Amino acid sequence: MTDAFILAIAILPLLYFFMYRRFSESVKGLKKLSAALEQRVLERTAQLEFSEAVHRLVLASSSDAILRTSADGEILMANPAAYWMFGYTKAELERGNISLFLPGGFEKVLVDGYARTLDGWNGHHSAPFVQAEAVTKSGKKLVVECSASECLVNSEVSFVIVMRDATERKKAEEEKNISEERLLTLIHAMTDVVYFKDGEGRWLVVNESGLKLFGLENINYRGKRDSELLPPTDFHYPALCYCEQTDKKAWEADGPTRVMEKIPRPDGSLRQFDVIKVPLYHENGERRGLVIFGRDVTDRVKWEEELKSAKEAAESATRLKDKFISLVAHDLKSPLGTMIGFIGLAGGETGTQPNDATKRLLDMAMESGTRMVGLIDELLKISRFQTGQLKLERRFFDAKSLGDKMMADYSNFARQKGVGMENAIPENSRVYGDIVLLTEAIQNLVTNAIKFCKSGDRITIFSPEKGSTTICVKDSGPGMKPEVLDKVFKFEEKTSTPGTDGEVGTGFGLPLVKNIMEFHGGTIHASCEPGEGCVFSMELPNVRPVILLVDDDRNFRLLQIQQLKDVDANVMEAENGVAALDMISTRRPHLVIADVKMPIMDGLELLKRLKGGADTKDIPVIIISGEYDMESRDKVFKMGADDFVTKNMDPVDFIPRVRRFVG
């Protein structure tokens, strides 16, 4: 027993070391493992709760109807979108059957939708949904796109079905298809050729006219470039290659292009096409396609060439006729003038006074000759208009001066007939035109008025309102009938009638006035009443003067602008001669006022350039200088300046100088 006790005492430490200690360590490890597992469970639970919250949020916010059904179609769950899409309440849908709104058989939707989902997993590219017809609670029919997937919930198989209302999109697609069909029908009915190509130049759509043009009626053209449509040996191959080249130019132009393309035909003829090419781009700038329109203009070009030749021949004949009239009129005027002179001598030579009968005959011959000279003068004036020999020399002037000249030239003549004359045009009535031609025009109107007025009548020259560019001649004479008024401005109509004292005219005066006004870009019109007189109105374009100030001193330019306010003109500014020339090239001024001393280009060099240019030499130039000596003044006048003023100019002196050129 003693031995046994000793053995037990020896074994007990060993048992503690090998068994109890290791057991204690295992218990501690198990406790740590339990705590780790508990933490993982808590984390997973939180993840599941978050996933559940996201799931519920997706269901609640989705605009698509999402349902979970059993295999026999019983609705186990539906999101809010399903309620309002089909018009049912939550209570009506839950535990209801999907056949409520899929009366055509939900099984087909489940099978086809699930099959397409599986196809998508397997890499197939069929549409991931099946289309079906649904019915709302109110009976409204919807087109829905459905997808289905299988899931296990509590060991039971169920299906998740997603449905999207595609009614409006389907309707839009149908309308788009109808529109495209109509467009294609229209394109194919067109006699013009129409092509649609993609961004790489491959043919997409071409109408029948385009196919016939290149003999492609039996060719599969889709997806091919021009050079790939036919073999190089084909007759049309070179023309197709040329089309490819012009396509490249359209892309390079980065916008619509228009070219004339000549297409050879198998019969040896050459057809000419007016071709418009329009490149289209995606929003990111990549090429989208090319639209090409071509019209056969061969016959039109031929007609235009024939018309042009005929027009040139007619114009040549007209010029020859006008030249002939001018030469004949000129050659007749000289001997007629001589003849009239001799008749005058014969009628008034002392010592050989003719008897009354002879005197009357000589007076008649003198009157006829004078009338013939007047007619020739009118023909010469008309000829200058018709042959383009006449050039307008426009400038601004006061229309009142025209009225004053008429008063000076014709008031005595009117007074002899007992006719009163008045110039009622106000001062500073600015007009822009050729003063010589406009004087001739108003002279024709005034002499006509005197011719048809009788004693006691009155003639008034006036403007309808202040600032108007219309000049009117009014008389209180016999007036004109409407049918005569329609003809008085036409050369081809003979409307000349004797005046109240038997005065005769050529009949060309009013047509000449019309020519003068049209030459100015203006109009002439008349209003007459039989027995109440006439009003003839010459309406000129309203042109506001443009003055260019050239000076490097901005403050001095501001001073000039203030002084020029009374002139009523548009004012441009330039700080040196170079800037001034650049402005003049885009907008021609009516007057240039330039300082002498400026950087880059001074006023004298600017004056030299303007007076040396064919298009600018007639622009008036006023030179401003800080030097007051006569040598400077003479220098600028010799260079062609139209006026010269000093820098300390007085507006009282300066403004009238400006008005000389801009009215």
Side-chain angles (χ1 to χ4, degrees):
M1 179 175 179
T2 303
D3 292 338
F5 180 74
I6 293 170
L7 180 62
I9 291 172
I11 290 174
L12 281 173
L14 292 173
L15 289 173
Y16 172 79
F17 182 78
F18 287 107
M19 294 182 66
Y20 179 77
R21 186 178 178 184
R22 289 191 177 182
F23 177 76
S24 176
E25 289 176 353
S26 296
V27 170
K28 290 179 180 178
L30 287 172
K31 287 182 177 179
K32 288 182 179 179
L33 179 61
S34 176
L37 287 173
E38 185 177 353
Q39 181 64 31
R40 289 183 66 184
V41 168
L42 290 173
E43 290 175 354
R44 182 62 177 161
T45 301
Q47 290 176 354
L48 289 173
E49 288 176 351
F50 177 74
S51 177
E52 180 71 15
V54 171
H55 171 71
R56 292 182 184 281
L57 180 62
V58 170
L59 287 175
S61 60
S62 174
S63 59
D64 295 335
I66 303 175
L67 305 99
R68 185 166 62 84
T69 70
S70 64
D72 59 1
E74 182 184 0
I75 299 172
L76 305 174
M77 182 276 299
N79 72 335
Y83 308 150
W84 59 258
M85 183 180 291
F86 298 110
Y88 291 96
T89 66
K90 182 180 180 181
E92 288 172 328
L93 274 187
E94 288 183 353
R95 299 305 170 182
N97 197 283
I98 197 171
S99 59
L100 281 172
F101 41 82
L102 287 178
F106 70 91
E107 296 87 351
K108 185 176 185 306
V109 173
L110 291 178
V111 173
D112 288 353
Y114 189 39
R116 288 172 185 269
T117 301
L118 293 176
D119 284 345
W121 292 351
N122 294 329
H124 298 294
H125 298 292
S126 58
F129 55 82
V130 61
Q131 197 170 92
E133 185 178 276
V135 180
T136 67
K137 183 180 179 180
S138 65
K140 180 183 177 182
K141 292 183 178 181
L142 303 177
V143 177
V144 293
E145 295 171 347
C146 307
S147 62
S149 58
E150 187 182 35
C151 65
L152 286 173
V153 179
N154 298 327
S155 301
E156 291 185 3
V157 176
S158 59
F159 293 90
V160 176
I161 303 173
V162 180
M163 288 186 283
R164 176 169 293 173
D165 186 353
T167 309
E168 293 301 320
R169 197 187 75 219
K170 186 69 176 175
K171 182 180 178 182
E173 287 177 353
E174 289 175 355
E175 291 176 352
K176 176 175 172 288
N177 291 336
I178 293 172
S179 179
E180 287 180 351
E181 287 177 7
R182 289 174 178 170
L183 177 61
L184 287 173
T185 302
L186 175 63
I187 288 171
H188 286 297
M190 292 174 66
T191 55
D192 295 340
V193 296
V194 183
Y195 305 88
F196 293 91
K197 298 179 181 179
D198 66 15
E200 300 298 322
R202 292 182 288 259
W203 286 34
L204 299 175
V205 178
V206 59
N207 68 347
E208 294 178 9
S209 298
L211 293 174
K212 289 178 182 179
L213 179 63
F214 295 109
L216 301 173
E217 294 95 328
N218 301 315
I219 300 294
N220 181 14
Y221 62 82
R222 293 182 184 274
K224 296 179 181 179
R225 294 182 175 86
D226 296 70
S227 56
E228 299 169 349
L229 291 166
L230 296 171
T233 54
D234 191 277
F235 175 82
H236 296 100
Y237 183 77
L240 287 167
C241 290
Y242 179 72
C243 290
E244 261 190 15
Q245 295 174 15
T246 54
D247 286 355
K248 291 179 182 177
K249 292 180 180 178
W251 287 114
E252 290 169 0
D254 198 25
T257 59
R258 189 169 188 171
V259 295
M260 297 297 288
E261 294 185 2
K262 294 181 179 179
I263 309 296
R265 306 298 299 144
D267 61 4
S269 63
L270 197 67
R271 306 299 294 180
Q272 196 162 350
F273 282 79
D274 182 6
V275 180
I276 298 173
K277 300 194 175 187
V278 183
L280 305 175
Y281 297 89
H282 290 288
E283 290 183 0
N284 61 4
E286 293 182 359
R287 294 180 180 181
R288 181 179 179 185
L290 193 65
V291 184
I292 304 168
F293 302 92
R295 174 167 293 180
D296 188 343
V297 294
T298 309
D299 295 333
R300 192 192 76 191
V301 170
K302 181 182 177 183
W303 296 333
E304 286 176 351
E305 289 175 350
E306 291 175 351
L307 182 63
K308 183 180 178 181
S309 298
K311 182 174 178 288
E312 288 175 351
E315 287 175 347
S316 177
T318 300
R319 285 193 298 271
L320 185 62
K321 177 203 70 176
D322 292 333
K323 187 176 181 181
F324 172 76
I325 291 173
S326 178
L327 290 172
V328 170
H330 186 272
D331 289 344
L332 283 174
K333 186 176 180 181
S334 181
L336 273 172
T338 305
M339 181 184 72
I340 292 169
F342 280 122
I343 292 173
L345 289 173
E349 187 177 351
T350 55
T352 57
Q353 290 293 333
N355 56 37
D356 291 343
T358 304
K359 183 77 167 63
R360 194 161 48 252
L361 290 174
L362 289 173
D363 288 343
M364 291 173 61
M366 175 74 80
E367 184 180 342
S368 297
T370 302
R371 189 165 64 248
M372 180 64 74
V373 170
L375 177 61
I376 291 171
D377 280 336
E378 297 291 342
L379 285 172
L380 286 172
K381 291 171 187 174
I382 294 167
S383 175
R384 289 200 297 274
F385 275 105
Q386 300 292 341
T387 56
Q389 296 175 10
L390 208 57
K391 303 295 180 186
L392 283 181
E393 295 184 6
R394 288 189 179 96
R395 67 181 182 88
F396 290 97
F397 61 92
D398 189 350
K400 188 177 188 305
S401 64
L402 283 184
D404 290 340
K405 179 169 176 54
M406 294 303 105
M407 292 295 293
D409 291 350
Y410 297 104
S411 60
N412 285 335
F413 176 36
R415 196 177 299 114
Q416 290 174 9
K417 289 189 68 173
V419 176
M421 270 187 73
E422 176 190 6
N423 176 21
I425 300 176
E427 294 279 357
N428 298 322
S429 296
R430 181 167 59 201
V431 292
Y432 184 64
D434 188 313
I435 191 169
V436 174
L437 290 178
L438 292 176
T439 299
E440 189 164 338
I442 194 171
Q443 175 181 294
N444 270 289
L445 299 181
V446 169
T447 54
N448 258 10
I450 295 173
K451 173 182 172 183
F452 291 106
C453 281
K454 61 184 185 300
S455 180
D457 285 333
R458 189 165 188 80
I459 299 169
T460 305
I461 306 167
F462 69 98
S463 288
E465 57 187 21
K466 186 171 178 59
S468 170
T469 57
T470 300
I471 303 172
C472 304
V473 176
K474 177 183 179 181
D475 67 69
S476 59
M480 270 189 280
K481 295 179 180 178
E483 58 269 24
V484 177
L485 188 60
D486 290 339
K487 301 176 182 179
V488 292
F489 295 112
K490 298 177 181 178
F491 283 115
E492 63 273 17
E493 298 286 350
K494 180 64 175 176
T495 58
S496 179
T497 55
T500 53
D501 280 356
E503 304 100 324
V504 294
T506 63
F508 292 146
L510 291 177
L512 182 62
V513 173
K514 183 172 182 284
N515 261 2
I516 291 172
M517 295 310 298
E518 288 176 347
F519 205 37
H520 279 80
T523 58
I524 173 76
H525 53 88
S527 59
C528 297
E529 290 292 335
E532 296 183 10
C534 293
V535 179
F536 286 84
S537 302
M538 302 191 305
E539 187 173 347
L540 289 161
N542 191 356
V543 180
R544 197 162 186 248
V546 177
I547 300 174
L548 174 58
L549 302 179
V550 192
D551 198 308
D552 61 323
D553 186 341
R554 175 170 174 73
N555 290 331
F556 190 72
R557 295 201 307 269
L558 290 174
L559 174 63
Q560 288 180 288
I561 291 171
Q562 290 298 318
Q563 292 176 341
L564 291 171
K565 279 187 175 180
D566 292 340
V567 178
D568 187 29
N570 294 326
V571 179
M572 302 191 301
E573 299 178 62
E575 58 186 12
N576 57 63
V578 173
L581 290 174
D582 185 55
M583 294 180 75
I584 291 170
S585 67
T586 57
R587 187 181 183 187
R588 179 186 170 94
H590 299 105
L591 174 64
V592 174
I593 303 174
D595 188 20
V596 171
K597 292 183 179 180
M598 292 181 292
I600 304 177
M601 181 187 291
D602 64 22
L604 296 181
E605 180 62 25
L606 173 62
L607 175 62
K608 180 181 176 183
R609 298 279 187 94
L610 291 176
K611 295 305 179 180
D615 297 330
T616 57
K617 62 183 180 181
D618 58 337
I619 299 176
V621 179
I622 298 176
I623 292 294
I624 299 177
S625 175
E627 299 176 359
Y628 315 118
D629 56 282
M630 291 300 295
E631 183 180 348
S632 299
R633 181 186 178 89
D634 292 342
K635 181 179 180 181
V636 298
F637 277 122
K638 286 178 181 178
M639 292 179 67
D642 296 271
D643 207 342
F644 174 89
V645 294
T646 58
K647 275 232 168 181
N648 62 344
M649 53 196 177
D650 182 354
V652 176
D653 174 66
F654 177 59
I655 297 305
R657 291 174 184 269
V658 173
R659 287 193 183 278
R660 282 180 50 213
F661 306 105
V662 296

